[in-house]
Amino acid sequence: MTGGGLLVAGTTSDAGKSVVTAGICRWLARQGVKVAPFKAQNMSLNSFVTKEGAEIGRAQAMQAQACRIEPSALMNPVLLKPGGERSSQVVLLGKPVGEMSARGYHGGRQQRLLGTVVDCLAELRSTYDAVICEGAGSPAEINLRRTDIVNMGIARSARLPVLVVGDIDRGGVFASFFGTVALLSPEDQELVAGFLVNKFRGDVSLLEPGLDMLHGLTGRRTYGVLPFRHGLGIDEEDGLRVSLRGTVRESNVSPPVGEDVLRVAVCAIPLMSNFTDVDALAAEPGVVVRFVDRSEELADADLVVVPGTRGTVRALEWLRERGLAGALARRTAEGRPVLGICGGFQILGEHIEDDVESRRGRVDGLGLLPVRVRFAPEKTLTRPVGEALGERVEGYEIHHGVATVTGGEPFLDGCRAGSVWGTHWHGSLESDGFRRAFLREVAAAAGRRFVPAPDTSFGALREEQLDRLGDLIEQHADTDALWRLVESGAPPGLPFVPPGAPA
């Protein structure tokens, strides 16, 4: 028996598809429905490693957590990791299969992956009662429809009803809803069941006349109006702006436990990946996290984090061009704390031999850690568990660089030299005991009277966040009608809205 399904599309990128998908997943899981998330194709530098060693988008990993299940490669069969403006690494079923230009991908490779994508979705639907799928960008990208596998392409292939989400906070949501439907072919329009308004501020009764007119114009109803709420973002696809509005940064207003706050500056390097690593720091009362791109912004920081990146050599050059490399060297000489994670760890080393990512050969690093890095063709994808600072640590690794440590003190898979730490482990700061121990070390080195809160649980904060998303769907969407969509598909007889897709 095949389980039900639903595709959550959006009028634009960042309309709220990831959040709505996670909210529907958590609402269904709380009803006892066996549910799973799915995104056929994701373009993101924020990725995660499953227990079987597959790389998928972090948004799908968080949506799996909303479903209270383990993430798997089936949930995100195609992941594109940008390496620049014109090319991306293609990750298929959790493993990298090569680099490809956008023209090459959309020119034929994407369409050839449709069979794989459809098979993955079918396997999930054979295992779960419901699969909630997330689209990408807009389903009305008429220049890309022929090769689409993530929006109407997968909806048509799997006969999924489509719910279109619009961000009313941006303005123009009615035109966006109408235009999205009107630019689809008759066959695609048959599957577009209706709309969901996201991020509404004010009195819903003032919106209702517009919703009635939209229904009259399109023959499609609105399934809910979700109010604007701060701090409801999950680990979405990309962009510094998305990270800065992250839940822990917006919702944490607790004063410090000790006398001082702790200031953390994160270098906003190019092609920054897994910037979500610092969310766990920002979850701590009294820790202030900000992203910086100027050397003078490091002056008052108690800790500087050099995060992961998809372009290690490019990021290294950027740090030098902007004077941040010199500022990091001065910090090190003064014994002030620096933490490098993954690509940031590699940057802090003595040199990098890269014939894989940038193909630049040997490049001098910042020389702040006794580490030498060689890029291997094979990508390391693991979920390590270990110990540091007397505490148990869990993390995940996603990197081509192989580090040889020649000195310093052991620190996870990397090392520590004085006040500089480096590791390939993403997610290590989510281990509560380790994070507190690390912050105590940082505070001592920085001369701050900062005390980590004894009871901050990052895992509990994540669960609260997902429950808030579930609450949003349960309280502000027509859940009975949503379930009918999941179970039975789009209503029959939906009218065609001209002009339709161009020939």
Side-chain angles (χ1 to χ4, degrees), residues 452-498:
D455 55 356
T456 302
S457 168
F458 189 73
L461 287 174
R462 285 295 201 196
E463 280 298 305
E464 289 172 13
Q465 177 188 27
L466 293 170
D467 276 332
R468 291 174 68 202
L469 295 178
D471 292 343
L472 202 68
I473 297 298
E474 190 168 341
Q475 295 167 10
H476 300 282
D478 186 339
T479 52
D480 289 340
L482 280 179
W483 178 246
R484 285 194 295 273
L485 283 184
V486 172
E487 198 172 35
S488 305
L494 292 169
F496 172 69
V497 179

Side-chain angles (χ1 to χ4, degrees), residues 443-455:
R448 295 287 185 187
R449 290 170 293 183
F450 169 85
V451 179
D455 55 356

Side-chain angles (χ1 to χ4, degrees), residues 65-112:
Q65 186 177 345
C67 298
R68 297 173 175 152
I69 59 175
E70 276 291 325
S72 80
L74 294 173
M75 298 171 187
N76 179 206
V78 181
L79 173 63
L80 305 178
K81 303 195 71 174
E85 293 185 2
R86 295 181 179 272
S87 68
S88 295
Q89 183 181 65
V90 180
V91 179
L92 180 62
L93 292 173
K95 304 296 181 185
V97 294
E99 297 279 336
M100 187 166 289
S101 68
R103 180 181 291 273
Y105 184 68
H106 290 287
R109 176 64 182 270
Q110 183 180 33
Q111 183 64 24
R112 291 197 295 273

Side-chain angles (χ1 to χ4, degrees), residues 213-284:
M213 283 187 273
L214 184 67
H215 184 270
L217 288 166
T218 67
R220 290 156 175 85
R221 57 165 297 183
T222 297
Y223 284 78
V225 178
L226 307 185
F228 186 96
R229 292 284 187 269
H230 283 286
L232 287 182
I234 65 169
D235 296 350
E236 299 182 61
E237 292 186 351
D238 274 319
L240 186 57
R241 183 175 60 81
V242 172
S243 177
L244 287 173
R245 70 149 194 243
T247 295
V248 290
R249 265 182 285 292
E250 289 192 352
S251 62
N252 179 20
V253 293
S254 303
V257 175
E259 297 180 46
D260 290 343
V261 299
L262 207 63
R263 294 174 176 83
V264 179
V266 184
C267 296
I269 57 180
L271 296 174
M272 182 168 41
S273 62
N274 290 69
F275 50 75
T276 47
D277 281 334
V278 299
D279 282 351
L281 292 178
E284 287 287 345

